[in-house]
Amino acid sequence: MPESWQEKLEERLRYYEDLGIRLFYLNRRVGITAKSGETTERPAEPTDGSPEIALPGPRAETSEAAANAQALRVEPVIVPSGPSLFESVEKVQGDTLLKIRDDIGDCTRCKLHKRRHKIVFGDGSAKAQLVFVGEGPGADEDAQGLPFVGRAGKLLTQMIEAMGLQRKDVYICNVVKCRPPENRAPEPDEVATCSPYLLRQIDVIQPRVIVCLGAVAAKTLLETNRGITQFRGQWLEWRGRKLMATYHPAYLLRNPNAKGEVWKDLQKVMAELGLELPRKKSS
Ligand code: URA
């Protein structure tokens, strides 16, 4: 096995171990399969690479996976919201991600521009069925102009791959597009200035599911002051789309014990998207 594969495999196994998955057996048909039940089975076949399809579409579900999907489907709950940040955002006819990026330009609309190096617009498929929204770029993202490329980003990539997807299948963006100094949380005026562009990005992509990573993203989109623990892991309805809030990968780096909770949330997302779910432990 080439060294780079081995490193990737080791990294993946460490991630599963963090999720509490420790026993594996080799399934010759599909590759590595976890044995513990809460686990994950990577798809045997890669995505078909078609530019038209952002996610490997619903695979032929086994009856077990279908039963899991059924069990995990939850009725949307609506989080009461205050006056809407987004109400005044006008729909742009024929909008595209390119046009939005163009409109942002070399932005100086809020004070975050003063210390940023690169605007971090977003990355991934313009036709993604799944969009992840984070808080704002950190130092690595600010340097590279790409979202979630630092330590937390590597963990997010592992989470996406554990779902049987690749980063190019989804879209990843943030509430604010410039790095808040010293990684502080974005301030309300910064969020208010930047979030209309996020709204336009989501409107263009039209994902089936939005996953908010952490409290800032969740509170911004849902316009709520409620703590994320009150609604994390529940299906919420946001502008006609399904939204799930879960913990931020940076929180998971500090609190690895919470990875299992996030994995449960992501399995709900997988069920909703018709992705193959981990096998249940056979008794
Ligand atoms: N944290 C975020 O919220 N977004 C990034 O892009 C990187 C780290």
Side-chain angles (χ1 to χ4, degrees), residues 134-138 141 147-148 152 174 248:
E135 177 175 325
E141 292 77 20
F148 282 98
N174 283 303
H248 194 287

Side-chain angles (χ1 to χ4, degrees), residues 120 133-138 141 146-150 152-153 172-174 213 248 250:
V120 180
V133 181
E135 177 175 325
E141 292 77 20
L146 288 169
F148 282 98
V149 289
I172 306 172
C173 52
N174 283 303
L213 298 168
H248 194 287

Side-chain angles (χ1 to χ4, degrees), residues 19-270:
L19 295 176
I21 301 165
R22 292 205 168 76
L23 290 174
F24 295 86
Y25 64 87
L26 185 65
N27 177 331
R28 292 190 190 285
R29 197 169 52 80
V30 296
I32 291 286
T33 307
K35 207 182 177 181
S36 88
E38 292 170 322
T39 62
T40 186
E41 180 185 41
R42 301 277 290 123
E45 63 292 325
T47 65
D48 64 8
S50 156
E52 292 301 311
I53 301 169
L55 280 179
R59 295 191 193 94
E61 283 186 6
T62 61
S63 52
E64 189 180 16
N68 277 349
Q70 221 40 50
L72 290 172
R73 223 157 253 154
V74 205
E75 282 310 301
V77 175
I78 297 182
V79 175
S81 57
S84 177
L85 244 191
F86 303 112
E87 244 155 41
S88 59
V89 180
E90 281 185 21
K91 245 197 150 36
V92 178
Q93 286 304 315
D95 211 4
T96 63
L97 292 179
L98 263 180
K99 184 161 170 26
I100 301 166
R101 181 64 192 89
D102 244 32
D103 289 349
I104 292 172
D106 194 17
C107 187
T108 56
R109 293 171 182 85
C110 86
K111 56 189 178 300
L112 291 181
H113 81 275
K114 293 184 191 153
R115 290 173 62 182
R116 69 136 192 267
H117 292 100
K118 289 199 171 152
I119 292 176
V120 180
F121 178 68
D123 188 34
S125 168
K127 294 176 195 264
Q129 293 182 33
L130 173 58
V131 168
F132 288 94
V133 181
E135 177 175 325
D140 295 305
E141 292 77 20
D142 180 54
Q144 294 185 41
L146 288 169
F148 282 98
V149 289
R151 270 186 76 220
K154 292 211 165 68
L155 181 54
L156 176 62
T157 303
Q158 288 176 338
M159 287 155 52
I160 291 168
E161 290 176 356
M163 295 173 80
L165 299 171
Q166 295 178 21
R167 276 178 72 116
K168 70 172 173 54
D169 299 320
V170 303
Y171 194 81
I172 306 172
C173 52
N174 283 303
V175 168
V176 293
K177 297 185 175 2
C178 297
R179 182 190 182 202
E182 279 81 51
N183 296 338
R184 66 160 168 76
E187 291 173 356
D189 60 309
E190 297 155 359
V191 171
T193 307
C194 215
S195 48
Y197 299 101
L198 170 63
L199 185 76
R200 280 175 63 188
Q201 283 171 294
I202 295 173
D203 279 353
V204 164
I205 297 167
Q206 301 188 342
R208 276 171 57 197
V209 173
I210 298 162
V211 172
C212 286
L213 298 168
V216 170
K219 289 176 167 191
T220 300
L221 290 194
L222 298 166
E223 300 179 279
T224 181
N225 282 327
R226 286 168 63 179
I228 187 171
T229 50
Q230 292 179 39
F231 52 83
R232 195 218 94 241
Q234 294 176 43
W235 279 119
L236 306 168
E237 193 274 335
W238 184 77
R239 295 168 60 87
R241 302 186 190 287
K242 292 195 108 175
L243 183 151
M244 167 89 59
T246 195
Y247 294 130
H248 194 287
Y251 174 81
L252 297 182
L253 291 173
R254 297 190 301 273
N255 302 278
N257 289 343
K259 283 183 181 174
E261 293 304 305
V262 171
W263 181 230
K264 281 188 206 147
D265 300 344
L266 295 180
Q267 287 183 81
K268 292 181 187 174
V269 172
M270 290 165 72

